[in-house]
Amino acid sequence: MPMHDRIIPYLERAGLYHLARLNSQWFWLDEPLVSAFVERWRPETHTFHMPFGECTVTLQDVAFQLGLPVDGEAVSGCLGEFETYMEGGRPAWEWFEDLFGERPPPNKVKQMTVHFTWFHERFRVLPPDASEETVRIYARAYIMMLLSTQLFGDKSANRVHIRWLPFVANLDGMGRYSWGSAALAWLYRCMCRVANRNVTNLAGPLQLLQSWIFWRFPSLRPAGFEVFSFPLASRWSAYLPPNDGKEQRVIRYRLALDRLTARDIVWEPYSALDVLAVVHPEILTEEHSRMWRAVTALIYFAVIEWHQVDRVVPQLGGVQHTPEDALNVDWLHAKDGRGGDRWFPHYYQKWHEHWENRLDAVISIERVADPGPSADYLDWWYREAQRFLSPGAAFADPRGTQIPPEAYQRGSSQVPRRSQLPDMPDNRRVERRRRVGTRDTGREWRWLHDAMQEDDAGGDARAEVDHRVRRANARRGRTPDDTQHAGGVSGTAATEAGGDTFTSRAYSQMPEFTPTMTMDLDDQLVSPRFYADFAELIGNDAGTSNVQFGGQSYQQQMPDVQMETGAYQPHMTEMHSQPHDYQGQYGVDLNVPAGSPLDTWFTMGGTPQSAYGLDPPRDDVGQEAARPTRVRRPARCGTGSHLLGDFHDVARDDRDG
């Protein structure tokens, strides 16, 4: 849609004029390049993990690349029920008809969206003799299209949501909103979504991302684009990437990123004199520039993301310190506004208050002549991060971890004061990760602890308690590749030498496929005969003379008991629990390593070392007897640990059988 001269004043008052100037200068996206960067995106920190440290798109980049205001009110509200949540609100489509003069035909409407073609056909050409009210209608249509395509596009790519009605209803008041922070929040959310292994399409302001890459990494930018103007993203308006050999180009880009050093990134591309000469003065005002250093929430309706500029201090001219643990906003990542409309400033009141107090979250950064990571940071980064994605054979030189001399010369910097907010993990996602062998609360096996407690205490009350294991729905087993992060990035970001996991551990990964299991024990567990049967099995198989179960000792000279192994043979399945609220009793801190003592769940495993060399038990006909599947000894399981430990020692891998 062309930008008519008569609607320019409305765009200027809305703070969208610079973005509208880019409307005819958008460039083609280099998909292999963006894919290589997506592989290095971490949803916990909203940063790209590079061999030399972290970097990301910040509010400063949004201001320079797109010319959008970054200070102002949050872009929020509701998604459709305006008559319910807004003072004097009217039904959505009646309001739409008042603002645009007519309603779109039914075949152009789908739920709360209108097809692009209706706006394009109806408002593309402004009549020469149009009245001022008609100009305002065309300005509203242009802004609706501009926001839905250039900033907040989704994967449908052909519809305009009517969430913008409250904004275009008051064109003179649109300038008080922070369109830059909303656009960055949407870019973060789209990047976090595509980091999921099941997502293959990427939406959002991708021209912002690609222009950021070209400005920050000279070795990756195309040649011949030396002339630029404001906004800076217009520099690449004539860029046309090749359209063949995408798979090979992804490999080449991945290798190029693996070879980057701290000298290959331009930490401050906007401080050059030729850049400052074309930048609009309002971008450099204090009210906007101070927001670049704010560690605060970014809001776009139901999307709440975190601006963690304290992890990329060199991009603002400082020395990077060893960062603190990332704030866990996994619960917010699970929210997308679906499931019933609501008034988001009230639903996310705490996060809106944090944005309103954004000036209190501005950190102090001491500018230096040579910004970059400190020696302490690099020492931590070399130990904790997964820095390379390409195979070792692709490197001509060993991947050294020697700290460069200039890092020692920079000195160190103190961790800036940061507003403390509580972690908000999403337990539903924790449950999904647990079912692929990454986390577990031990809830499914707590019945075993209770049974051991009752057995120690004695009494008849335990006979009335049902400790049966809940049966989970059978699902297909996952392959080892399913535990890999999207694009080949390991979820734990562990070091090549098998070191500790990275600070932000929301997506950890087991070393091999470890399906969980439940056992059909039913009510046999509450009977002393259950312990006697296992005692005999252990005595005959492992040669032990005295075995303890739940605090009781059983000698080998007990009467022979016929063992019916078919009554309790285990079957593999995925442990399944009911979803519960994020503030529930079984919350999990995703900053805790996967190998912590809280890791009390069972996994399949191999034959223990103590079992090698022992003759297998035989049944009555001389055939090798069926063995229960071996389970791993849990780290901690109360008074039931004796039973589980001995069961661990006696069991065999059914594959060996």
Side-chain angles (χ1 to χ4, degrees):
M1 298 177 64
M3 182 174 58
H4 301 283
D5 294 339
R6 296 186 63 182
I7 70 175
I8 290 179
Y10 296 102
L11 296 174
E12 291 177 338
R13 278 177 279 181
L16 301 174
Y17 174 63
H18 299 302
L19 178 68
R21 292 176 59 209
L22 289 172
N23 193 25
S24 60
Q25 299 179 346
W26 285 124
F27 45 87
W28 289 93
L29 195 68
D30 191 342
E31 297 178 3
L33 176 63
V34 173
S35 298
F37 271 83
V38 166
E39 292 178 346
R40 293 183 170 274
W41 179 261
R42 296 299 302 177
E44 307 90 344
T45 60
H46 296 146
T47 58
F48 297 101
H49 284 197
M50 296 294 181
F52 53 81
E54 296 176 89
C55 58
T56 192
V57 184
T58 65
L59 290 176
Q60 181 193 35
D61 300 298
V62 177
F64 279 96
Q65 299 290 343
L66 302 182
L68 290 174
V70 296
D71 194 18
E73 298 181 14
V75 179
S76 187
C78 60
L79 296 180
E81 297 181 3
F82 306 119
E83 69 275 14
T84 303
Y85 296 107
M86 298 185 61
E87 182 179 356
R90 303 180 58 183
W93 294 109
E94 292 184 9
W95 200 5
F96 187 95
E97 185 176 5
D98 290 344
L99 293 177
F100 294 95
E102 60 180 283
R103 294 190 187 186
N107 62 338
K108 298 293 184 179
V109 176
K110 183 178 181 181
Q111 295 180 344
M112 307 300 289
T113 63
V114 182
H115 202 279
F116 281 172
T117 55
W118 183 81
F119 280 94
H120 188 268
E121 296 170 357
R122 177 64 180 81
F123 302 106
R124 186 176 187 273
V125 180
L126 179 66
D129 57 346
S131 63
E132 193 61 30
E133 180 59 29
T134 303
V135 173
R136 293 174 66 89
I137 292 177
Y138 274 72
R140 295 189 187 106
Y142 186 91
I143 292 176
M144 294 272 285
M145 288 285 289
L146 184 68
L147 296 177
S148 300
T149 56
Q150 311 299 22
L151 283 188
F152 307 107
D154 54 21
K155 289 186 289 187
S156 69
N158 59 4
R159 293 190 173 274
V160 177
H161 200 284
I162 64 173
R163 62 167 62 97
W164 308 115
L165 290 184
F167 298 90
V168 299
N170 183 14
L171 292 175
D172 297 333
M174 290 190 67
R176 69 174 187 266
Y177 294 98
S178 175
W179 297 107
S181 64
L184 186 60
W186 183 236
L187 177 63
Y188 282 176
R189 176 57 59 87
C190 293
M191 294 290 291
C192 292
R193 284 178 176 176
V194 80
N196 189 299
R197 66 176 180 268
N198 299 320
V199 179
T200 58
N201 297 326
L202 178 60
L206 302 182
Q207 283 81 4
L208 168 63
L209 173 61
Q210 183 163 302
S211 182
W212 174 85
I213 295 173
F214 287 162
W215 276 93
R216 295 280 180 178
F217 299 93
S219 61
L220 301 177
R221 72 175 57 155
F225 294 87
E226 304 301 332
V227 179
F228 52 85
S229 60
F230 188 79
L232 299 183
S234 62
R235 178 177 180 178
W236 325 105
S237 59
Y239 175 66
L240 184 63
N243 196 31
D244 56 343
K246 291 185 177 181
E247 295 182 0
Q248 295 300 322
R249 291 176 58 213
V250 169
I251 297 175
R252 290 198 299 268
Y253 278 131
R254 184 183 299 149
L255 180 59
L257 295 182
D258 284 337
R259 291 174 172 174
L260 290 178
T261 65
R263 290 300 182 185
D264 296 322
I265 181 175
V266 182
W267 291 113
E268 295 185 283
Y270 314 127
S271 61
L273 294 180
D274 55 348
V275 174
L276 295 176
V278 301
V279 173
H280 198 281
E282 68 181 9
I283 299 298
L284 302 177
T285 58
E286 176 62 23
E287 63 177 337
H288 287 95
S289 61
R290 63 188 175 186
M291 289 301 302
W292 305 341
R293 308 189 307 273
V295 183
T296 183
L298 304 174
I299 301 175
Y300 168 62
F301 288 98
V303 175
I304 310 291
E305 297 294 343
W306 199 243
H307 188 233
Q308 304 187 80
V309 73
D310 56 326
R311 305 184 75 95
V312 290
V313 175
Q315 293 185 200
L316 297 176
V319 178
Q320 181 59 52
H321 51 270
T322 303
E324 299 179 355
D325 290 351
L327 179 65
N328 187 346
V329 292
D330 196 31
W331 175 75
L332 298 175
H333 278 172
K335 304 298 180 180
D336 56 5
R338 300 179 182 177
D341 206 354
R342 56 179 62 90
W343 186 249
F344 297 114
H346 175 74
Y347 188 70
Y348 298 108
Q349 182 177 0
K350 178 174 62 176
W351 304 95
H352 279 73
E353 291 177 354
H354 196 74
W355 172 255
E356 294 172 359
N357 300 326
R358 55 192 175 276
L359 296 183
D360 298 334
V362 176
I363 62 176
S364 176
I365 297 179
E366 182 181 356
R367 296 182 59 87
V368 296
D370 182 25
S374 65
D376 295 338
Y377 174 86
L378 290 178
D379 179 67
W380 167 79
W381 186 254
Y382 291 163
R383 288 184 288 103
E384 302 293 339
Q386 177 172 334
R387 304 163 55 212
F388 307 101
L389 300 183
S390 301
F395 284 80
D397 299 326
R399 310 178 187 187
T401 58
Q402 183 177 1
I403 299 177
E406 58 267 18
Y408 292 99
Q409 299 174 3
R410 294 189 190 105
S412 184
S413 65
Q414 296 181 351
V415 179
R417 178 182 57 85
R418 191 178 71 178
S419 300
Q420 297 297 326
L421 289 175
D423 288 342
M424 306 196 63
D426 179 26
N427 283 347
R428 292 174 299 176
R429 295 194 173 199
V430 172
E431 291 296 329
R432 288 198 293 270
R433 296 193 193 102
R434 176 182 57 79
R435 291 196 296 270
V436 297
T438 55
R439 288 287 188 275
D440 187 77
T441 62
R443 180 179 182 181
E444 290 287 346
W445 295 91
R446 198 157 294 181
W447 57 271
L448 189 55
H449 169 79
D450 297 338
M452 298 301 97
Q453 291 278 19
E454 295 173 3
D455 184 74
D456 289 342
D460 299 331
R462 65 176 179 268
E464 302 175 0
V465 182
D466 184 8
H467 293 288
R468 299 182 181 182
V469 181
R470 292 200 306 271
R471 299 178 183 269
N473 295 330
R475 299 176 61 186
R476 290 185 302 174
R478 301 179 184 268
T479 62
D481 292 338
D482 285 340
T483 58
Q484 294 290 335
H485 198 270
V489 180
S490 172
T492 55
T495 61
E496 296 173 298
D500 297 333
T501 55
F502 178 66
T503 304
S504 302
R505 302 179 176 94
Y507 298 95
S508 63
Q509 170 186 325
M510 296 300 295
E512 59 178 316
F513 177 51
T514 54
T516 52
M517 63 172 243
T518 57
M519 295 189 298
D520 290 330
L521 297 180
D522 293 336
D523 57 349
Q524 300 181 33
L525 182 61
V526 299
S527 171
R529 176 60 56 190
F530 175 81
Y531 304 127
D533 293 344
F534 269 116
E536 180 187 7
L537 177 63
I538 293 175
N540 294 337
D541 187 42
T544 55
S545 58
N546 189 12
V547 183
Q548 288 189 346
F549 288 106
Q552 301 186 25
S553 297
Y554 295 91
Q555 303 294 333
Q556 274 196 354
Q557 55 267 28
M558 293 177 59
D560 293 338
V561 180
Q562 182 66 29
M563 196 65 186
E564 298 181 3
T565 58
Y568 62 91
Q569 282 186 343
H571 63 277
M572 292 189 302
T573 182
E574 295 189 32
M575 288 163 47
H576 207 60
S577 61
Q578 297 294 330
H580 41 273
D581 190 71
Y582 71 94
Q583 295 178 344
Q585 181 179 357
Y586 303 103
V588 177
D589 186 358
L590 298 185
N591 284 320
V592 176
S596 68
L598 299 177
D599 210 2
T600 60
W601 44 272
F602 291 78
T603 62
M604 304 291 290
T607 305
Q609 294 294 332
S610 59
Y612 287 116
L614 300 179
D615 294 333
R618 302 283 174 173
D619 55 17
D620 295 337
V621 296
Q623 300 294 329
E624 186 172 340
R627 301 188 179 101
T629 305
R630 174 188 177 272
V631 296
R632 190 182 71 180
R633 181 195 299 271
R636 183 174 58 193
C637 194
T639 57
S641 60
H642 295 294
L643 171 63
L644 301 180
D646 294 327
F647 189 29
H648 167 84
D649 293 332
V650 69
R652 295 288 191 275
D653 192 336
D654 56 352
R655 292 173 298 184
D656 296 338

